[in-house]
Amino acid sequence: MRTEFALKEIMSSGGAEDDIPQAERKTVTDFCYLLDKSKQLFNGLRDLPQYGQKQWQSYFGRTFDVYTKLWKFQQQHRQVLDNRYGLKRWQIGEIASKIGQLYYHYYLRTSETSYLNEAFSFYSAIRQRSYYSQVNKEDRPELVVKKLRYYARFIVVCLLLNKMDVVKDLVKVTQRLPPCSNPQIFMAFPFHEKQMPPTLISLLSKVFYFSPFWYWVAHHLQETPTMYFTPHRRPTICKTKRDCRHYHGIGKGRDLCASISPARGRLTHLNCCKMGSLEGPQELSDEIEDYTHRFNTEDQVEWNLVLQEVAAFIEADPVMVLNDDNTIVITSNRLSETGAPLLEQGMIVGQLALADALIIGNCNNQVKFSELTIDMFRMLQALEREPMNLASQMNKPGMQESTEKPARRENPHKYLLYKPTFSQLYTFLAASFKELPANSVLLIYLSATGVFPSGRSDSEGPYDFGGVLTNSNRDIINGDAIHKRNQSYKEMHCLHPGDLYPFTRKPLFIIVDSSNSVAYKNFTNLFGQPLVCLLSPTAYPKALQDQSQRGSLFTLFLNNPLMAFLFVSGLSSMRRGLWEKCQDYLRKINRDIAQLLTHSRSIDQAFLQFFGDEFLRLLLTRFIFCSATMRMHKIFRQETRNYPESYPQLPRDETVENPHLQKHILELASILDVRNVFLENTLDDY
């Protein structure tokens, strides 16, 4: 056991075992017992099934109990543990990191965003107190990996809490640049966009040639740098043959793009041209560079990919909201108190509540981080309320008295499934369906590549229209849609509409964001329960297709309709004051859409059955706003494939083509001075 090992270490380090006071020996023994027990319970969490909401709670409770005792114990007996056990700061950091992981996984199990704040408090304390600061001095690569994994987990929690300022402190992106294209070496200075005088080129070449970096450049590339003036903020050097890749370390003969400090004449950091950004000294990237240099590891590419993913995730939003000093405003898209339109008195809607949601993502060419695509991330936030701070104590989550919980704080429970196989997806579906409470709704969100029918069929059943691919195989190239028209078999991991028929025995709300979303337009409600499918456009105008890597426009409308409206209007930034003004007007539009739905005489009752739930009400109003916007936009009028659809169909004249709603959209466009991109008299064009 660790206890015996610790005592032997004490004896061998000077002094007989009998010289150790009994009380101190017991302190070390108790600490080692708690440490061993905590590791055993923590490792046991991995064996718990990820699906189901009840069987894991008691195990989590026991694990929190042990870590509560362990954390308090090391605080109370720090001096004895330092002297007799040799407790190091990185070991304290590891305990705090495990507690942060517990809170994060408890959030994943419960979807209660308040536990994200608890995870953040522990992760933040590790960084502020520099618990891992001495790890790099020890010749143990596994400890450095622990430190890097802590950073990755910390970033995930910060992203989920929209603490982008903290993320940017860890991985900072300050300026976007185009990809490198010239296979020469360039020295770029912040002056005029014209070629430098030959005499100045010669002078600078001689100056920089004798720096350590330029010595390496000349030695390995056998050519003198060509220098140009460009409007960049800092000097950059690019060397590309195909495209730039991250280069960490000198002398490995890889393509590189580096930033040089002209004042110091030395290399300050290395950066990837393909990401199109310039970065300053970075906490995480410096750690990765140090790790890969010292231990010559084979996982350098994987850790560099982590940096790229985080940087791309930060820049995924197509529109920036700016303060007067040009700092970026971080906007939250979780449900606030005034987010969903209120129900009018006497409004007759269903009493169903959204209880469970499966968020499924499989888009290979889309920005992702830690098995969370940008579409999954946006839908996750659309299904949560703003987090509230819990008391920062080591109480077991979920054990507070019910009287202490604020009213109406429950979020729907969510499963995040990244590229699940069909069997995995069906297992989670069945578990969620089994535990769905009475008068509750199951939501399924699909963001995946479309799978099209494999030839013409005599029948048109629920398996003859194709579906969406939930798990990629080797047939996919660069995220392109799969076409199985010339093959007789059906894709194994394709989720067809017919696969969901068994689950329509209970209220079901489906959102499909795919190039073959219309496959779910042919749904059949066999059991008479409320059933609604919101379907994305199957194609977008060519002017917008290049933005698919940053996430789907349809999902962006469901998550942040104003940002999506700005994007399709050709705007990339906006002042905070105007943003808030437009948000107020958008809330008015949502209220009017709610009235259109509830006052409609021909609308399918399934929509009204779901309208009593705040989350579903907001998704429905945003869907109608999205559909109305696209139908009025000039570039979307080229094809009907550019429009969202639904099952059952909405009455057009009373919802998405209602003149009152169209007037609101034109007014919003006028506020933004983009009315010219919309059609004025849309009804006459049908």
Side-chain angles (χ1 to χ4, degrees), residues 356-460:
D356 257 35
L358 273 74
I359 299 177
I360 302 155
N362 180 29
C363 293
N364 281 4
N365 64 336
Q366 197 173 98
V367 170
K368 62 169 284 291
F369 182 66
S370 184
E371 297 195 342
L372 190 69
T373 68
I374 189 67
D375 275 356
M376 296 172 66
F377 173 77
R378 286 169 175 163
M379 184 51 58
L380 170 73
Q381 299 231 322
L383 298 177
E384 290 182 345
R385 290 182 169 86
E386 287 292 346
M388 294 179 60
N389 287 313
L390 297 176
S392 297
Q393 300 174 358
M394 285 297 298
N395 294 328
K396 288 183 294 182
M399 297 297 153
Q400 292 86 357
E401 296 295 330
S402 59
T403 56
E404 298 178 2
K405 290 187 176 181
R408 300 178 65 81
R409 285 296 309 162
E410 297 79 8
N411 291 320
H413 174 259
K414 294 175 291 296
Y415 291 116
L416 304 176
L417 304 179
Y418 177 66
K419 295 188 175 183
T421 63
F422 178 78
S423 58
Q424 290 172 334
L425 175 55
Y426 233 58
T427 300
F428 280 86
L429 266 173
S432 185
F433 180 85
K434 176 185 176 182
E435 297 184 352
L436 196 68
N439 298 320
S440 296
V441 180
L442 171 62
L443 183 146
I444 301 174
Y445 169 78
L446 296 165
S447 170
T449 303
V451 179
F452 296 89
S454 54
R456 304 186 67 175
S457 175
D458 295 335
S459 62
E460 290 188 349

Side-chain angles (χ1 to χ4, degrees), residues 356-578:
D356 257 35
L358 273 74
I359 299 177
I360 302 155
N362 180 29
C363 293
N364 281 4
N365 64 336
Q366 197 173 98
V367 170
K368 62 169 284 291
F369 182 66
S370 184
E371 297 195 342
L372 190 69
T373 68
I374 189 67
D375 275 356
M376 296 172 66
F377 173 77
R378 286 169 175 163
M379 184 51 58
L380 170 73
Q381 299 231 322
L383 298 177
E384 290 182 345
R385 290 182 169 86
E386 287 292 346
M388 294 179 60
N389 287 313
L390 297 176
S392 297
Q393 300 174 358
M394 285 297 298
N395 294 328
K396 288 183 294 182
M399 297 297 153
Q400 292 86 357
E401 296 295 330
S402 59
T403 56
E404 298 178 2
K405 290 187 176 181
R408 300 178 65 81
R409 285 296 309 162
E410 297 79 8
N411 291 320
H413 174 259
K414 294 175 291 296
Y415 291 116
L416 304 176
L417 304 179
Y418 177 66
K419 295 188 175 183
T421 63
F422 178 78
S423 58
Q424 290 172 334
L425 175 55
Y426 233 58
T427 300
F428 280 86
L429 266 173
S432 185
F433 180 85
K434 176 185 176 182
E435 297 184 352
L436 196 68
N439 298 320
S440 296
V441 180
L442 171 62
L443 183 146
I444 301 174
Y445 169 78
L446 296 165
S447 170
T449 303
V451 179
F452 296 89
S454 54
R456 304 186 67 175
S457 175
D458 295 335
S459 62
E460 290 188 349
Y463 292 91
D464 297 319
F465 298 99
V468 298
L469 188 69
T470 62
N471 184 271
S472 303
N473 57 22
R474 296 177 183 177
D475 294 333
I476 281 193
I477 301 176
N478 297 326
D480 290 339
I482 288 183
H483 295 264
K484 295 286 185 179
R485 303 184 190 281
N486 297 325
Q487 301 184 19
S488 59
Y489 64 89
K490 288 182 170 63
E491 172 63 43
M492 175 181 176
H493 300 299
C494 172
L495 189 70
H496 298 268
D499 294 323
L500 299 179
Y501 277 12
F503 305 102
T504 61
R505 289 175 169 86
K506 294 182 179 180
L508 189 62
F509 196 98
I510 304 171
I511 302 174
V512 185
D513 195 337
S514 172
S515 57
N516 192 29
S517 61
V518 291
Y520 290 80
K521 185 180 178 182
N522 302 285
F523 230 94
T524 303
N525 192 344
L526 300 177
F527 298 96
Q529 291 287 335
L531 171 64
V532 163
C533 301
L534 305 183
L535 312 174
S536 73
T538 56
Y540 291 100
K542 293 181 180 180
L544 302 176
Q545 287 177 350
D546 294 338
Q547 300 293 325
S548 60
Q549 185 181 5
R550 294 188 180 185
S552 166
L553 177 61
F554 178 70
T555 296
L556 183 61
F557 262 104
L558 298 181
N559 167 259
N560 192 331
L562 180 54
M563 182 171 290
F565 189 88
L566 295 173
F567 172 64
V568 299
S569 301
L571 301 176
S572 59
S573 64
M574 169 173 288
R575 294 295 173 185
R576 183 172 187 171
L578 183 57

Side-chain angles (χ1 to χ4, degrees), residues 72-176:
K72 291 180 178 179
F73 193 89
Q74 63 86 19
Q75 288 178 319
Q76 295 168 356
H77 303 91
R78 180 72 59 82
Q79 185 173 359
V80 174
L81 293 174
D82 286 345
N83 296 334
R84 298 299 185 183
Y85 179 81
L87 184 66
K88 299 182 179 180
R89 290 189 64 79
W90 67 261
Q91 292 174 304
I92 302 173
E94 187 177 10
I95 296 172
S97 180
K98 291 287 180 62
I99 296 172
Q101 289 182 62
L102 282 176
Y103 274 115
Y104 171 68
H105 284 285
Y106 203 84
Y107 154 75
L108 293 180
R109 295 275 184 173
T110 63
S111 297
E112 176 49 65
T113 48
S114 299
Y115 296 118
L116 280 175
N117 282 327
E118 299 302 307
F120 175 82
S121 65
F122 275 92
Y123 285 143
S124 182
I126 293 171
R127 184 169 177 241
Q128 292 172 358
R129 300 174 188 177
S130 303
Y131 281 137
Y132 283 117
S133 61
Q134 302 300 315
V135 162
N136 292 355
K137 296 182 179 180
E138 302 193 26
D139 192 23
R140 296 174 60 184
E142 69 276 9
L143 294 184
V144 183
V145 171
K146 286 179 181 291
K147 183 177 183 178
L148 295 179
R149 288 177 176 170
Y150 148 73
Y151 274 115
R153 296 185 182 107
F154 190 16
I155 288 172
V156 171
V157 171
C158 291
L159 288 175
L160 291 172
L161 285 173
N162 292 311
K163 295 183 180 293
M164 298 302 179
D165 53 339
V166 180
V167 178
K168 290 177 181 179
D169 283 343
L170 299 174
V171 182
K172 192 172 184 179
V173 180
T174 57
Q175 181 186 7
R176 298 174 184 174

